[in-house]
PDB file of all heavy atoms in Angstrom:
ATOM      1  N   VAL A  15      -3.709   5.341   0.120  1.00 49.00           N
ATOM      2  CA  VAL A  15      -2.535   6.168  -0.164  1.00 49.00           C
ATOM      3  C   VAL A  15      -2.844   7.653  -0.278  1.00 49.00           C
ATOM      4  O   VAL A  15      -1.978   8.451  -0.606  1.00 49.00           O
ATOM      5  CB  VAL A  15      -1.823   5.698  -1.457  1.00 49.00           C
ATOM      6  CG1 VAL A  15      -1.347   4.287  -1.319  1.00 49.00           C
ATOM      7  CG2 VAL A  15      -2.740   5.830  -2.668  1.00 49.00           C
ATOM      8  N   LEU A  41     -13.595   5.825 -22.434  1.00 94.00           N
ATOM      9  CA  LEU A  41     -12.715   6.071 -21.294  1.00 94.00           C
ATOM     10  C   LEU A  41     -13.349   5.572 -20.005  1.00 94.00           C
ATOM     11  O   LEU A  41     -12.683   4.983 -19.152  1.00 94.00           O
ATOM     12  CB  LEU A  41     -12.414   7.566 -21.192  1.00 94.00           C
ATOM     13  CG  LEU A  41     -11.551   8.138 -22.321  1.00 94.00           C
ATOM     14  CD1 LEU A  41     -11.612   9.660 -22.318  1.00 94.00           C
ATOM     15  CD2 LEU A  41     -10.112   7.647 -22.205  1.00 94.00           C
ATOM     16  N   GLU A  48     -10.163  -1.521 -15.814  1.00 79.00           N
ATOM     17  CA  GLU A  48      -8.755  -1.652 -15.448  1.00 79.00           C
ATOM     18  C   GLU A  48      -8.457  -1.266 -14.009  1.00 79.00           C
ATOM     19  O   GLU A  48      -7.563  -1.838 -13.388  1.00 79.00           O
ATOM     20  CB  GLU A  48      -7.897  -0.774 -16.365  1.00 79.00           C
ATOM     21  CG  GLU A  48      -7.871  -1.230 -17.800  1.00 79.00           C
ATOM     22  CD  GLU A  48      -6.939  -0.380 -18.649  1.00 79.00           C
ATOM     23  OE1 GLU A  48      -6.231   0.481 -18.088  1.00 79.00           O
ATOM     24  OE2 GLU A  48      -6.934  -0.581 -19.879  1.00 79.00           O
ATOM     25  N   ASP A  70      -7.004  23.315 -19.883  1.00 95.00           N
ATOM     26  CA  ASP A  70      -6.066  23.253 -21.003  1.00 95.00           C
ATOM     27  C   ASP A  70      -5.130  22.048 -20.934  1.00 95.00           C
ATOM     28  O   ASP A  70      -4.043  22.067 -21.479  1.00 95.00           O
ATOM     29  CB  ASP A  70      -5.246  24.544 -21.115  1.00 95.00           C
ATOM     30  CG  ASP A  70      -4.552  24.669 -22.476  1.00 95.00           C
ATOM     31  OD1 ASP A  70      -5.103  24.150 -23.471  1.00 95.00           O
ATOM     32  OD2 ASP A  70      -3.444  25.242 -22.529  1.00 95.00           O
ATOM     33  N   ARG A 103       8.065   7.601  -4.869  1.00 76.00           N
ATOM     34  CA  ARG A 103       7.381   7.308  -3.605  1.00 76.00           C
ATOM     35  C   ARG A 103       6.708   5.944  -3.652  1.00 76.00           C
ATOM     36  O   ARG A 103       6.891   5.110  -2.773  1.00 76.00           O
ATOM     37  CB  ARG A 103       6.339   8.403  -3.337  1.00 76.00           C
ATOM     38  CG  ARG A 103       5.565   8.230  -2.055  1.00 76.00           C
ATOM     39  CD  ARG A 103       4.471   9.277  -1.950  1.00 76.00           C
ATOM     40  NE  ARG A 103       4.981  10.635  -2.062  1.00 76.00           N
ATOM     41  CZ  ARG A 103       4.196  11.719  -2.094  1.00 76.00           C
ATOM     42  NH1 ARG A 103       2.882  11.568  -2.056  1.00 76.00           N
ATOM     43  NH2 ARG A 103       4.717  12.918  -2.177  1.00 76.00           N
ATOM     44  N   VAL A 169      11.880  -8.532  17.162  1.00 96.00           N
ATOM     45  CA  VAL A 169      10.797  -8.279  16.208  1.00 96.00           C
ATOM     46  C   VAL A 169      11.169  -7.109  15.309  1.00 96.00           C
ATOM     47  O   VAL A 169      11.029  -7.170  14.083  1.00 96.00           O
ATOM     48  CB  VAL A 169       9.473  -8.003  16.946  1.00 96.00           C
ATOM     49  CG1 VAL A 169       8.390  -7.544  15.960  1.00 96.00           C
ATOM     50  CG2 VAL A 169       9.015  -9.241  17.702  1.00 96.00           C
ATOM     51  N   GLY A 184       8.550   2.358  20.833  1.00 93.00           N
ATOM     52  CA  GLY A 184       7.391   2.578  21.687  1.00 93.00           C
ATOM     53  C   GLY A 184       6.162   1.843  21.199  1.00 93.00           C
ATOM     54  O   GLY A 184       5.425   1.238  21.989  1.00 93.00           O
ATOM     55  N   GLU A 195      -1.700  -8.917  27.689  1.00 97.00           N
ATOM     56  CA  GLU A 195      -2.978  -8.718  28.376  1.00 97.00           C
ATOM     57  C   GLU A 195      -4.086  -9.578  27.786  1.00 97.00           C
ATOM     58  O   GLU A 195      -5.022  -9.965  28.492  1.00 97.00           O
ATOM     59  CB  GLU A 195      -3.374  -7.240  28.312  1.00 97.00           C
ATOM     60  CG  GLU A 195      -2.465  -6.335  29.131  1.00 97.00           C
ATOM     61  CD  GLU A 195      -2.752  -4.861  28.895  1.00 97.00           C
ATOM     62  OE1 GLU A 195      -3.571  -4.568  27.984  1.00 97.00           O
ATOM     63  OE2 GLU A 195      -2.163  -4.018  29.595  1.00 97.00           O
TER      64      GLU A 195
END
Side-chain angles (χ1 to χ4, degrees):
V15 299
L41 292 166
E48 293 184 6
D70 196 30
R103 180 186 304 175
V169 172
E195 292 172 353

